[in-house]
């Protein structure tokens, strides 16, 4: 039995750990506390004053700035933030809360966990590799496409909040984002590497597959070279869309079949992720397309970009993917911000439709903007009438402008405060009261209705009638429903598709 | 097709390995396979081949994706020579056959990895000397050699590679540490890269002696 070490931490607390390396990261060795409530991660490099100062800042002022504000409680679930710094045998360590249980496999792999991964961390790579999903993971671990979308939303929100505070993560990737596809939760870990521009330079350049092209391209230069580019906020804005693309489409946006160096696979890899990086779905340059014919059966249809192009993620995300992987790939300043990703993901949730096929693994898909929608994953067509609600909001009295935001209706779908007013946004600052639904949709004898639960100013504009709380209104082609008379209040304009 | 990472394990089954050492090696291989299967990166790319050598060269496991590997029980005769040179010649032929080269239209495999485990010194010294340049030409990404027990000769292995580790004892604990270290070399590519350090093997655990 390994011995237990007791230390005094930077915040005055007593920290204990079992002196036995339980896990190893790129730069750290991880030990567990005797009760398993937290871990102590020691940097393998010798302690130095700059590193100590940085860790003290992260566990002290930055941590307080993050969590002692509006929404702090909500944010606590989005990060595994180190709480204190310790020093032992000349090495620095950080005390980090243990991950929540939802981030460990409950069932693991198929056939009574043939791979022996039960109770291990849910590393994102498992879920973003189509072969692993199809052949190895227990189906109960897979979640559905809505949960995957929610994971992306949580990640975008976590990154956006960090960037708002002037911090950048600098090492986003599978290994540093815990995800739980069964509930749609996500959590950023390894916060100790975060970068404060101008104060704390990055210690790592990132994790392969997620390092921005400009960083890969200059990684051979010495760290002091002015041409060398190190991780920053804008490189986070490369890693974030790579993660989102992979969690939604189970393939890497740059890993195509173009060969950059025939003789040296390592060099080929560096060019593919660096100087020659090219989106596999570039609209004009098709030279890096994935050859679906070379893919294994278990990798299809995901590696077939003609069958599942990025545009199936809906118009808001498709636009941002283009800006990230075409316009912004080699122009960091043009990459969409984390805030834009968060907004687009929230809006995409409203585009979701349940798939009619009970065996569809994805179970949800974004509306494809056609009159006869069908699930892009399994090909099942939508049955029945489908109302599409287009959102407009008031900018001056009686003047409503389109918001480029749609809500797809399905049984049990809800209406929320952020649909009622363009000034309300669902994020960590949303009050508990505003998070409650204000209305819901129900299908009755082939017709769709919106039931008003909490909107005092709802009105059927066409009929010129108020719809009091507890009443319902029919959704049919051309219907106009005002949700609020306040400034910024929304007007729904109904289109009907399907049959 | 995604790139494969071909890994050649070359295991000494000469007479001196009989008994506890070979049992420990079998257990170590089982553990190595288990940890590779639990690693989603390795599961996606690593392929394994095992060659056993004593007075004969036996390819006990042809190149197989780790998801499909059924590990054979490796046995050794009561006595026998250590034909390491001949074994490495066989490995050279295998790489010629197995490694898919890149073409302008298709990506080839990663550079392969070779792991050698021996408890003695090569008895076919001439063949051994001759195979060294050929082996270098095979363009391995990494060659790791393990000199197990007191009779192993690390200096011979140093001619092959800079990565030579030696195990003082040939018991289950030290073999398991060695195989654990080998399995960690497979996860390094998926881990964060330092801003200053170059890409290297992870540091060996304290119980292994790295021969300098």
């Amino acid at each position: 039995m390994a011995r237990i070490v007791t230390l005094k931490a930077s915040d005055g607390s007593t920290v204990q750990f079992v002196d036995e390396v339980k896990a190893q990261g790129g730069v750290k060795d991880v030990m567990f506390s005797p009760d398993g409530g937290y871990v102590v991660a020691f940097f393998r490099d010798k302690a130095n004053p700059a590193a100590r100062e940085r860790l003290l800042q992260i566990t002290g002022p930055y941590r307080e700035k993050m969590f002692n504000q509006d929404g702090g409680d909500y944010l606590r679930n989005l990060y595994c933030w180190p709480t204190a710094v310790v020093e032992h045998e000349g090495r620095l360590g950080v005390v980090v809360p243990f991950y929540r249980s939802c981030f460990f496999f409950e069932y693991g792999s198929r056939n009574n966990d043939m791979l022996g991964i039960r109770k291990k961390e849910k590393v994102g790579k498992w879920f973003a590799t189509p072969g692993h999903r199809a052949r190895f993971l227990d189906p109960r671990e897979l979640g559905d496409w809505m949960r995957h979308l929610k994971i992306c939303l949580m990640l975008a929100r976590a990154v956006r909040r960090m960037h708002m505070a002037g911090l950048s993560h600098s090492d986003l990737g599978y290994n540093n984002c815990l995800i739980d596809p069964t509930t749609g939760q996500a959590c950023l870990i390894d916060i100790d590497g975060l970068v404060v521009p101008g104060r704390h330079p990055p210690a790592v350049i990132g994790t392969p597959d997620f390092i921005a092209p400009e960083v890969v391209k200059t990684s051979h230069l010495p760290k002091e070279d002015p041409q060398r580019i190190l991780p920053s906020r804008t490189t986070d804005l490369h890693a974030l869309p790579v993660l989102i693309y992979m969690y939604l489409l189970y393939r890497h946006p740059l890993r195509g079949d173009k060969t950059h160096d025939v003789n040296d696979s390592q060099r080929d890899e560096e060019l593919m992720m660096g100087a020659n990086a090219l989106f596999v779905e570039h609209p004009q340059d098709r030279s890096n397309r994935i050859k679906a014919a070379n893919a294994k059966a278990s990798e299809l249809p995901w590696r077939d970009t003609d069958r599942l192009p990025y545009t199936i993620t809906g118009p808001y995300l498709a636009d941002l993917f283009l800006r990230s992987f075409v316009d912004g790939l080699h122009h960091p300043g043009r990459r969409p911000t984390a805030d834009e990703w968060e907004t687009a993901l929230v809006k995409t949730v409203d585009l979701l439709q349940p798939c009619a096929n009970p065996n569809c693994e994805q179970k949800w898909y974004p509306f494809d903007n056609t009159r006869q929608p069908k699930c892009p994953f399994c090909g099942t067509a939508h049955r029945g009438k489908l109302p599409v609600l287009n959102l407009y909001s008031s900018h001056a009295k009686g003047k409503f402008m389109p918001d480029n935001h749609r809500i797809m209706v399905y049984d049990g779908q809800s209406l929320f405060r952020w649909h009622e007013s363009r000034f309300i946004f669902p994020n960590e600052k949303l009050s508990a009261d505003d998070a409650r639904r204000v209305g819901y949709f129900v299908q009755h004898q082939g017709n769709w209705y919106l039931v008003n639960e909490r909107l005092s100013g709802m009105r059927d504009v066409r009929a010129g009638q108020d719809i009091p709380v507890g009443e319902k209104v029919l959704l049919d082609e051309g219907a106009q429903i005002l949700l609020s008379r306040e400034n910024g209040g929304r007007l729904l304009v109904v289109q009907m598709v399907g049959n | 097709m995604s790139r494969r990472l071909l890994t050649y394990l070359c295991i000494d089954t000469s007479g001196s390995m009989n008994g506890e050492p070979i049992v420990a090696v079998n257990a170590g291989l089982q553990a190595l396979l288990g940890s590779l299967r639990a690693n989603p990166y390795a599961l996606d790319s690593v392929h394994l081949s095992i060659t056993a050598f004593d007075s004969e060269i036996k390819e006990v496991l042809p190149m197989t994706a780790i998801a499909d590997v059924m590990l054979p029980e490796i046995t050794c005769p009561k006595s026998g020579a250590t034909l390491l040179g001949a074994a490495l010649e066989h490995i050279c032929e295998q790489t010629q056959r197995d490694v898919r080269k890149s073409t302008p239209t298709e990506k080839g495999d990663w550079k392969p990895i070779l792991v050698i485990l021996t408890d003695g010194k090569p008895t076919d010294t001439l063949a051994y000397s001759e195979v060294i340049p050929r082996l270098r030409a095979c363009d391995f990404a990494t060659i790791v050699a393990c000199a197990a027990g007191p009779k192993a000769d690390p200096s011979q292995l140093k001619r092959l590679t800079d990565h030579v580790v030696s195990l003082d004892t040939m018991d289950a604990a030290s073999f398991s540490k060695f195989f654990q270290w080998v399995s960690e070399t497979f996860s390094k590519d998926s881990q964060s890269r330092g801003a200053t350090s170059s890409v290297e093997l992870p540091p060996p655990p304290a119980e292994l002696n790295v021969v300098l």
Side-chain angles (χ1 to χ4, degrees), chain A residues 42 126 131-132 153 231:
Chain A
F42 282 99
W126 285 112
H132 292 353
L153 173 57

Side-chain angles (χ1 to χ4, degrees), chain A residues 11 50 69 117 207 211 290 304 306 340 346 376 395-396 412 415:
Chain A
D11 62 350
Q69 287 188 12
I117 57 171
T207 303
I211 308 174
I290 299 169
D304 185 346
D306 289 330
E340 290 179 273
V346 164
H395 288 250
L415 205 61

Side-chain angles (χ1 to χ4, degrees), chain A residues 355-376:
Chain A
C355 179
N357 170 8
N359 297 320
C360 178
E361 186 186 292
Q362 275 60 45
K363 294 194 169 48
W364 297 87
Y365 63 92
F367 176 54
D368 59 7
N369 223 0
T370 64
R371 297 223 151 256
Q372 300 295 333
K374 66 171 197 220
C375 172

Side-chain angles (χ1 to χ4, degrees), chain A residues 127-242:
Chain A
F127 303 100
T129 310
H132 292 353
R133 300 180 66 92
R135 292 180 60 196
F136 300 119
L137 286 181
D138 188 302
R140 289 170 291 187
E141 299 282 6
L142 292 178
D144 56 33
W145 208 80
M146 181 197 258
R147 302 294 187 328
H148 278 69
L149 194 67
K150 203 177 154 210
I151 285 169
C152 297
L153 173 57
M154 294 298 139
L155 292 174
R157 185 167 286 159
V159 174
R160 186 263 302 156
R161 184 65 188 83
M162 268 183 136
H163 287 183
M164 259 172 65
L167 309 169
S168 54
H169 186 282
S170 83
D171 188 10
L172 290 171
Y174 292 137
N175 296 340
N176 296 338
C177 308
L178 299 177
I179 64 165
D180 176 23
T182 63
T183 61
Q185 295 189 76
C187 177
L188 292 188
I189 60 172
D190 276 359
I191 308 281
D192 45 71
L194 65 77
V195 172
V196 186
R199 285 194 62 180
H200 301 302
V204 293
I205 64 165
T207 303
D209 275 14
F210 301 95
I211 308 174
E214 65 274 19
V215 176
V216 176
K217 203 164 60 180
T218 62
S219 63
H220 62 285
L221 299 169
K223 207 176 169 185
E224 298 69 31
D225 193 308
Q227 301 293 315
R228 174 85 189 261
I229 300 172
L230 290 168
S232 65
R233 190 186 67 90
T234 51
T235 65
D236 279 356
L237 296 179
H238 172 76
L240 177 65
V242 172

Side-chain angles (χ1 to χ4, degrees), chain A residues 24 125-126 132 135-136 171 174-175 203-208 223 228 256 258-259 262 265 268-269 291 294, chain B residues 1 3 37-38 40-41 43-44 67-68 102-105 107 109-111 184 189-193 195-196:
Chain A
Q24 279 192 310
K125 170 86 177 167
W126 285 112
H132 292 353
R135 292 180 60 196
F136 300 119
D171 188 10
Y174 292 137
N175 296 340
V204 293
I205 64 165
T207 303
K223 207 176 169 185
R228 174 85 189 261
K258 183 173 186 165
T259 309
V262 181
S265 49
D268 183 75
E269 190 78 6
K291 291 180 180 142
N294 294 348
Chain B
M1 241 0 200
R3 291 183 192 282
R37 279 187 178 156
Y41 300 90
L43 188 62
D44 207 22
D68 305 321
S102 288
T103 67
T105 54
K107 297 213 183 242
D109 292 325
W110 294 109
K111 290 183 187 179
E184 276 156 20
D189 271 344
S190 57
Q191 287 178 342
S192 307
R193 289 209 185 139
T196 45

Side-chain angles (χ1 to χ4, degrees), chain B residues 35-181:
Chain B
S35 93
L36 291 179
R37 279 187 178 156
N39 173 342
Y41 300 90
L43 188 62
D44 207 22
S45 59
V46 177
H47 287 56
L48 209 59
S49 146
I50 304 177
T51 299
F53 63 97
D54 41 66
S55 308
E56 287 174 72
I57 311 302
K58 288 158 288 185
E59 192 175 320
V60 293
L61 177 74
M63 195 51 78
T64 312
I66 54 167
D68 305 321
V69 167
M70 300 282 285
L71 270 188
E73 180 77 13
I74 298 176
T75 54
C76 46
K78 288 269 189 297
S79 63
T82 307
L83 296 183
L84 179 55
L88 295 179
E89 274 168 29
H90 179 74
I91 299 280
C92 289
E93 283 156 25
Q94 271 185 293
T95 61
Q96 297 295 328
R97 188 186 67 202
D98 299 340
V99 179
R100 271 204 309 259
K101 297 266 184 239
S102 288
T103 67
T105 54
E106 205 170 336
K107 297 213 183 242
D109 292 325
W110 294 109
K111 290 183 187 179
I113 290 181
L114 173 60
V115 180
I116 300 163
L117 191 150
T118 178
D119 73 333
K121 42 180 160 283
T123 34
D124 54 344
T125 45
L126 183 63
Y128 182 69
S129 293
E130 281 174 0
V131 80
I132 290 173
R134 280 187 64 200
L135 200 67
R136 290 200 186 277
C138 290
D139 203 16
F140 284 96
T142 314
I143 300 177
V144 179
C146 173
K151 285 185 228 133
D153 184 357
S155 64
Q156 284 289 349
L157 297 172
K158 281 301 277 188
R159 296 167 63 195
L160 280 179
T161 170
D162 292 335
H163 303 295
V164 179
V165 297
S166 75
L167 304 177
D168 290 336
T169 55
M170 303 216 295
D171 53 24
S174 36
F175 278 119
S176 98
K177 281 269 193 294
F178 172 72
F179 282 111
Q180 197 187 335
W181 179 58

